[in-house]
Amino acid sequence: MLSPQDQLTELVRTLETQQHVFATDPLLITEKLQNEEGSPLQKLHRRASRIDSNAALAGVLGKIDGRIKGIMVVMSVICCLSGFLGLFTLLQTNVVNFFYVLVCLLGFHSLMLLGWLAMTLINQGKQSSNWFASFVSPSYLIRGKDDVTQAAVNLYERQLQHSGMRWYLGRFSHQLWLATLTGMLLAIIFLLIVRQYSFSWESTLLSDQALITLTQLLGWLPSMVGFDIPDSTAIVQSRLVTDAMPLSVARQWAGLLVGSLLMYGIVPRAIAWAFCALMFRRKKMRLDIKLPYYQKILNFWQRHVVDADDFKEAPAPIAPKAQVSAGKKLVALLEYPAEQNQWWQSGFDTGITDTTDIENFGILDDRDDMARLKAYLDANPVQVLLGIHFKALPDRGTLRKLDQIANHAKHGLIVQLLEDNSLSLTEHHNTGNDVLNAGSDSNLEKQHVRYQQWQTALSARKIGLINN
């Protein structure tokens, strides 16, 4: 899994490529972070957090992550309860066949642990089948058809398919086994506290000496950590016991049973869990900042002048000068209204007073407006004068509208950037092109950046710009 910061950053990348409208404009955030300190990854994390200023994206990611972890917790609790109840049912008689109970406790567990170890050695460097991804698919855990939810679900599914997830799944399976063994341990301790058991053993094929040797081998590791184990005399006396046995002998068998569960069950499984956790940390999925999306942002942040004497700045793109035709014209505003009714008058050198040759189309905002405009342009040969407010961003959606108008305008398209006359006199004295509604030095720099962005966009499309 990616870290929460990486998940948010990757989700922002996915949504931005899908032209999602964020709570805060990504272009402004990217510009502000250019002069801030920090490593590239830290700045990308900071950028994603600021773009998600209302925490809507982080909320969706947190909801999915919480539900996945909730399933894991519920499954662990169920395994613990099943282990407790299973052993509680097994130890209902006062005389217990020791080796039968031991096989029930550790037999299947030991086979599964050895099988996991063998598959781990065989599948080194290979991706194992991801049953967990299909079992807890995020699409089952959260409902929603909006683009944020769908993008978050796809992000989690990509993470679940990552090669490093085999260690995540191994850690989870060991966690379930640890929960089961812990439930068994709690049941044993509880029953040994409230009941007195007699432990016996019986065998058709094995002799007393064979069972003595087997028991001593089994008790070697528990005895190393302080558990009492039966001696040879106690082992021989315990064969085919049907009644109460001396308490000291029963405690030796009980110590061997608890010690075996700990040393041959819980401890090896805990070691396997720790190994998977360590390998998952090493193979953990990380944010790929080499993607073109991130490289474009990082390259923008790294544009600094090293030596002013040796530095030769490349000429900034400049939009061609608008050529006003003599024919009929259509004027329209893109998304933002104009403060003056006949805003286009400043764009025509002739100072037109007769507006009969000018079709005022109003504001172009939604798809219906664009469809109506394109239908009119297809039927009427006019030159389009498009008024664009400095507040407008040259983002993908805006530039797509610009391209569509240019393709349908038979006599061409020219653009006029409109100022914000609501600024104070001081602000007008500072700049004539108010991009971001601010009069400080930092905002003046942002105004210049916004103006140059429009110059670059119009230059690339060879669309004329009217200089006010």
Side-chain angles (χ1 to χ4, degrees):
M1 290 287 186
L2 291 170
S3 65
Q5 298 87 349
D6 287 347
Q7 285 184 355
L8 180 59
T9 304
E10 185 66 9
L11 181 59
V12 168
R13 181 189 72 84
T14 303
L15 290 173
E16 193 170 2
T17 56
Q18 298 174 359
Q19 301 175 3
H20 174 76
V21 179
F22 296 94
T24 306
D25 178 48
L27 187 59
L28 294 179
I29 299 299
T30 305
E31 293 172 359
K32 291 179 180 179
L33 281 167
Q34 185 175 21
N35 298 322
E36 293 189 14
E37 298 295 330
S39 66
L41 190 58
Q42 289 174 342
K43 294 177 71 173
L44 288 174
H45 289 164
R46 208 177 304 158
R47 175 181 179 272
S49 298
R50 294 182 185 179
I51 290 174
D52 185 32
S53 57
N54 60 353
L57 308 184
V60 175
L61 291 173
K63 185 181 297 184
I64 297 176
D65 185 66
R67 292 181 180 181
I68 291 178
K69 292 181 178 178
I71 290 177
M72 297 172 67
V73 171
V74 170
M75 292 179 66
S76 298
V77 171
I78 292 175
C79 288
C80 183
L81 290 176
S82 64
F84 184 93
L85 295 176
L87 194 63
F88 191 89
T89 304
L90 185 64
L91 298 181
Q92 287 302 302
T93 59
N94 292 332
V95 179
V96 176
N97 188 318
F98 177 83
F99 290 103
Y100 176 77
V101 172
L102 190 63
V103 170
C104 292
L105 286 177
L106 299 177
F108 186 68
H109 163 268
S110 300
L111 290 176
M112 293 295 293
L113 185 59
L114 292 175
W116 170 82
L117 182 60
M119 293 301 297
T120 301
L121 295 176
I122 295 173
N123 293 330
Q124 289 186 21
K126 300 179 182 178
Q127 183 175 359
S128 57
S129 59
N130 197 339
W131 57 268
F132 186 77
S134 58
F135 181 71
V136 293
S137 176
S139 59
Y140 302 149
L141 303 180
I142 186 170
R143 298 295 181 182
K145 299 300 182 181
D146 58 286
D147 53 351
V148 175
T149 302
Q150 294 299 316
V153 168
N154 292 333
L155 174 60
Y156 263 92
E157 289 181 343
R158 291 202 308 268
Q159 294 178 80
L160 291 175
Q161 298 298 332
H162 186 256
S163 59
M165 283 299 296
R166 60 177 300 191
W167 302 111
Y168 183 84
L169 303 180
R171 186 182 68 176
F172 177 56
S173 65
H174 295 317
Q175 176 181 324
L176 297 182
W177 272 110
L178 281 173
T180 304
L181 294 173
T182 301
M184 293 179 178
L185 179 63
L186 293 176
I188 289 177
I189 294 175
F190 173 75
L191 291 174
L192 290 177
I193 290 175
V194 299
R195 297 182 65 174
Q196 181 175 347
Y197 287 93
S198 296
F199 295 90
S200 68
W201 61 270
E202 53 187 279
S203 176
T204 304
L205 299 178
L206 299 179
S207 63
D208 293 355
Q209 186 59 42
L211 263 297
I212 291 174
T213 304
L214 178 61
T215 305
Q216 290 177 344
L217 290 175
L218 184 65
W220 176 77
L221 195 56
S223 65
M224 296 289 291
V225 293
F227 286 96
D228 290 334
I229 63 171
D231 53 23
S232 301
T233 304
I235 296 173
V236 173
Q237 293 177 351
S238 301
R239 184 168 187 173
L240 299 176
V241 171
T242 57
D243 203 352
M245 66 187 329
L247 186 58
S248 58
V249 177
R251 286 177 176 175
Q252 290 177 354
W253 284 106
L256 179 58
L257 183 62
V258 174
S260 299
L261 180 59
L262 281 173
M263 303 309 298
Y264 302 117
I266 294 178
V267 171
R269 189 62 72 168
I271 294 174
W273 180 92
F275 175 75
C276 287
L278 178 62
M279 292 300 297
F280 174 68
R281 186 180 182 87
R282 292 180 57 187
K283 303 291 185 180
K284 189 176 182 180
M285 186 177 180
R286 288 174 173 81
L287 193 68
D288 184 9
I289 62 175
K290 294 182 180 180
L291 293 174
Y293 171 87
Y294 296 120
Q295 286 298 306
K296 184 178 180 180
I297 297 173
L298 297 178
N299 290 336
F300 174 77
W301 286 339
Q302 292 171 357
R303 293 173 187 169
H304 296 291
V305 178
V306 178
D307 192 335
D309 296 332
D310 300 334
F311 178 75
K312 294 182 179 180
E313 185 176 4
I318 299 176
K321 185 176 180 180
Q323 300 294 328
V324 181
S325 67
K328 187 175 181 179
K329 299 169 183 63
L330 181 145
V331 296
L333 293 167
L334 187 62
E335 297 181 355
Y336 288 91
E339 296 184 0
Q340 298 178 356
N341 292 331
Q342 294 184 343
W343 54 268
W344 63 86
Q345 287 285 1
S346 61
F348 295 138
D349 297 335
T350 56
I352 297 176
T353 56
D354 184 10
T355 59
T356 56
D357 288 339
I358 298 179
E359 175 73 23
N360 188 354
F361 216 77
I363 301 176
L364 302 174
D365 192 6
D366 54 22
R367 294 181 179 178
D368 293 338
D369 295 336
M370 286 297 300
R372 187 165 53 91
L373 175 62
K374 288 187 288 186
Y376 181 89
L377 294 178
D378 291 338
N380 298 275
V382 297
Q383 183 183 33
V384 178
L385 171 59
L386 190 64
I388 302 178
H389 201 284
F390 274 111
K391 291 179 180 178
L393 290 169
D395 54 18
R396 293 183 180 89
T398 303
L399 295 179
R400 187 184 300 109
K401 293 179 182 178
L402 205 65
D403 293 335
Q404 293 176 356
I405 297 173
N407 292 333
H408 288 267
K410 296 179 180 179
H411 287 180
L413 167 66
I414 57 178
V415 170
Q416 182 176 350
L417 297 180
L418 305 179
E419 301 177 4
D420 189 353
N421 294 325
S422 64
L423 296 175
S424 64
L425 293 176
T426 303
E427 292 171 332
H428 275 286
H429 178 72
N430 288 335
T431 179
N433 298 325
D434 296 296
V435 183
L436 301 175
N437 290 340
S440 63
D441 292 340
S442 61
N443 286 327
L444 288 176
E445 182 181 353
K446 295 174 184 177
Q447 296 168 16
H448 176 73
V449 170
R450 181 59 50 77
Y451 183 77
Q452 187 55 53
Q453 289 170 350
W454 276 111
Q455 288 274 12
T456 302
L458 295 176
S459 174
R461 290 160 174 78
K462 294 181 173 53
I463 296 176
L465 175 64
I466 292 178
N467 297 319
N468 295 338

